[in-house]
Amino acid sequence: MRVIIKPDYDTVAKWAANYVVYRINKFKPTPEHPFVLGLPTGSTPMGMYQELINLYQKRKVSFENVVTFNMDEYIGLKPTDHQSYRFFMEENFFKHVNLKPQNIHMLNGMTKDYEKECRNYEKAIRQAGGVHLFIGGVGTDGHIAFNEPFSSLTSRTRVKTLTESTIKANSRFFDNDVSKVPTTVLTVGIGTIMDAAEVMILITGENKATALKHGIEGSINHVWTISALQMHPHGIIVCDKPATKELSEQTINYFMDIEKNNF
């Protein structure tokens, strides 16, 4: 596992965006051989998306031959709903770059057949050749995507019921009214994420410090699903200094030392 420690949120966003661009450009995608990118929503990746848009506008990267799969979607929200993840992605990323509409994949929260929707999503990922880089954030309870505590570490795309803490955290996007937050979602599983060739998790803010500690220094367990990243051969955590508050000084010094001359 690589752990990249940056001073603040902005430098995390810039590092992550530049890494995505580096990976895409190194891959040299074509229509027949596209780069497959897994994407998150939420407040943490917004800075990265803005940086990616900036880099696209500067012609540092093209998304023409990039295929995307998003992590999750609320059940019961139409794509046009301002709180749906489809709307979030359109407003914060998709409409600002040259992604082809047919290359964008998102779970349908309005489906009447959840099992079929999830099964087809897994199939679409396989047919695309698998995800080359899956990006995610993390909840205060250590969940990645919507794989809440006690989710199977081999789970696949499925329906998931949200915990009270997650509903409360997400209420900031729903006028701070928890009653407006959907209680169920469709989400990729831990196993789905771990199948990616590379996984990059963004962790910022002191409120994520406990999750970061369990993800790096804790045991691999289904209570803190971020800990599954320890088993990935190409896992990266990009975090800011406030998020490292609970890490040991030895851990911080180790990663600061070995990463000082790296990308």
Side-chain angles (χ1 to χ4, degrees):
M1 179 191 292
R2 293 183 65 189
V3 178
I4 311 298
I5 302 172
K6 293 297 178 181
D8 51 35
Y9 176 87
D10 289 341
T11 49
V12 167
K14 289 179 180 178
W15 193 97
N18 277 283
Y19 190 76
V20 172
V21 169
Y22 163 72
R23 279 302 185 200
I24 292 172
N25 290 339
K26 184 178 181 181
F27 190 84
K28 298 179 180 178
T30 65
E32 297 76 25
H33 190 48
F35 187 85
V36 184
L37 188 61
L39 298 174
T41 51
S43 56
T44 302
M46 287 185 70
M48 178 193 70
Y49 287 136
Q50 187 57 59
E51 288 297 326
L52 284 173
I53 293 166
N54 292 339
L55 291 167
Y56 165 73
Q57 292 173 341
K58 293 176 181 177
R59 299 186 179 181
K60 301 292 185 181
V61 65
S62 172
F63 295 91
E64 183 178 7
N65 296 315
V66 173
V67 171
T68 67
F69 287 89
N70 262 77
M71 281 187 156
D72 37 39
E73 180 59 281
Y74 287 116
I75 288 177
L77 294 189
K78 296 178 181 180
T80 54
D81 190 299
H82 286 203
Q83 303 307 330
S84 75
Y85 286 156
R86 177 72 195 214
F87 186 88
F88 174 97
M89 292 303 301
E90 289 289 347
E91 291 298 307
N92 291 291
F93 186 52
F94 292 159
K95 75 178 186 181
H96 303 286
V97 297
N98 63 334
L99 272 165
K100 296 176 181 176
Q102 64 268 30
N103 286 344
I104 295 171
H105 298 82
M106 296 198 71
L107 287 156
N108 178 15
M110 296 301 293
T111 183
K112 300 301 181 183
D113 191 336
Y114 302 138
E115 288 189 14
K116 183 179 180 181
E117 176 70 14
C118 294
R119 186 168 60 248
N120 286 345
Y121 206 65
E122 291 277 341
K123 182 180 179 181
I125 292 174
R126 291 194 301 271
Q127 290 177 336
V131 176
H132 295 112
L133 173 61
F134 223 135
I135 306 166
V138 66
T140 55
D141 59 3
H143 73 258
I144 51 178
F146 271 124
N147 295 283
E148 303 277 30
F150 303 104
S151 294
S152 167
L153 299 186
T154 60
S155 56
R156 313 304 304 189
T157 303
R158 68 206 188 284
V159 176
K160 200 74 180 71
T161 300
L162 302 184
T163 63
E164 184 177 345
S165 62
T166 298
I167 292 171
K168 184 177 180 180
N170 288 359
S171 67
R172 67 188 187 278
F173 302 115
F174 293 82
D175 302 321
N176 291 311
D177 186 348
V178 294
S179 68
K180 294 181 180 179
V181 185
T183 59
T184 53
V185 297
L186 298 177
T187 182
V188 296
I190 296 294
T192 313
I193 297 169
M194 294 291 286
D195 278 350
E198 192 169 19
V199 179
M200 179 170 69
I201 302 296
L202 313 180
I203 306 179
T204 59
E206 190 174 320
N207 64 325
K208 304 291 180 69
T210 302
L212 179 62
K213 178 179 177 62
H214 282 279
I216 297 175
E217 297 179 334
S219 63
I220 299 169
N221 65 87
H222 64 178
V223 180
W224 298 87
T225 55
I226 185 181
S227 66
L229 194 64
Q230 295 177 30
M231 298 185 290
H232 200 284
H234 299 290
I236 305 175
I237 288 178
V238 190
C239 60
D240 61 7
K241 191 66 176 177
T244 66
K245 183 179 180 180
E246 295 187 22
L247 293 180
S248 70
E249 185 177 350
Q250 182 179 11
T251 297
I252 294 172
N253 290 341
Y254 172 79
F255 285 112
M256 291 291 288
D257 180 48
I258 64 171
E259 294 289 350
K260 63 186 178 184
N261 296 319
N262 293 338
F263 176 89

